[in-house]
Amino acid sequence: MSTVTRADVCAAAIADAFRDDGEIFASPMGMLPMLGVRLAKLTSNPDLVISDGESLFLAGVPPLFAKADVVEGWIPFRRVFDVVAYGKRHVMMGATQVDRHGNQNISAIGDWARPKRQLLGSRGAPGNTVNNRTSYWVPKHSTRVFVEQVDIVSGVGPKRAAEAGPAAARFNDIHRIVTNLAVLDVRGADDTVRLLSVHPGVSVEEVRATTGFELEVPADVATTREPSMEEQVVIREVLDPKGLRFKEVPQPEAAQERSR
């Protein structure tokens, strides 16, 4: 008997983050973001422009990490920066830390002058958040990720962008934060993180307990939708037949038994 898994719900939630973008370059970073974007391309938003993550624009939609099947364009690395600066783009990044105002950190943990742990560096986060619609994927929702204030600002939230002036705020758009527990945005009071929905089987209290700041919670919190039967077939038989998604969002043993 088949069962909808948490990973499937996360993939559908990521797809929903891109469903209304129209013809825009989708830049997913990570396995679940790639799965969700390709799911959107095959279902809710066929106008999405996707790449192989290296140098090709794809007309077809191959399975995760498979060789590109139909190629429609070439985007060498140097051209990506042109798209970041001037193009219509929606990027979904990871986040080591996110604070209550939607600032993101992927640079380092601890004091800037003497960090406890060096991470990726800011990489493209400043340019992404100033120029393009940006979402975040967090595979493990916890108080270590969702903190009152990030140690270093890599990605800029709306409040900080507004304080920096019109040039920084004009295109700043932190659209969605999808985690293994919930879907959030940064449209709460005073540009703070707000809970939009909790995944099936997750309570609002669980999300609050694993968030390291006071989270804005509406009176009625929706349950994140489960993928349709069509989407489940696309996920399981077309895009991820090897079950790679479970490496990021493990399937509970009980669910594994039911799905056999």
Side-chain angles (χ1 to χ4, degrees), residues 121-257:
S122 292
R123 301 294 290 265
N128 290 338
T129 52
V130 169
N131 293 305
N132 307 139
R133 171 169 277 192
T134 303
S135 294
Y136 297 119
W137 160 244
V138 177
K140 189 172 182 179
H141 194 127
S142 72
T143 54
R144 295 180 65 178
V145 176
F146 289 92
V147 296
E148 182 66 31
Q149 182 174 334
V150 297
D151 293 339
I152 297 168
V153 177
S154 305
V156 182
K159 183 178 178 66
R160 193 179 186 92
E163 291 170 349
R170 182 181 178 186
F171 297 112
N172 178 266
D173 179 9
I174 308 303
H175 182 56
R176 289 287 184 273
I177 305 170
V178 180
T179 81
N180 65 317
L181 300 181
V183 179
L184 312 98
D185 67 9
V186 194
R187 290 176 174 79
D190 196 27
D191 294 324
T192 55
V193 175
R194 174 180 65 170
L195 183 62
L196 294 180
S197 68
V198 293
H199 299 338
V202 178
S203 67
V204 171
E205 289 69 28
E206 183 179 355
V207 176
R208 276 183 163 140
T210 51
T211 302
F213 52 80
E214 188 64 31
L215 181 65
E216 180 166 322
V217 178
D220 295 313
V221 178
T223 299
T224 311
R225 73 174 185 89
E226 295 186 348
S228 67
M229 286 301 299
E230 176 193 5
E231 289 172 311
Q232 291 178 54
V233 170
V234 171
I235 291 171
R236 298 172 184 181
E237 299 183 15
V238 179
L239 295 176
D240 187 24
K242 296 181 180 179
L244 299 175
R245 62 196 180 279
F246 300 126
K247 293 182 179 181
E248 282 196 340
V249 183
Q251 185 178 10
E253 291 184 5
Q256 290 183 29
E257 290 297 327

Side-chain angles (χ1 to χ4, degrees), residues 22-45:
E23 189 175 355
I24 194 172
F25 180 31
S27 294
M29 300 181 184
M31 188 185 304
L32 256 293
M34 186 187 302
L35 177 60
V37 160
R38 294 188 182 191
L39 177 64
K41 172 76 173 175
L42 288 174
T43 56
S44 60
N45 187 359

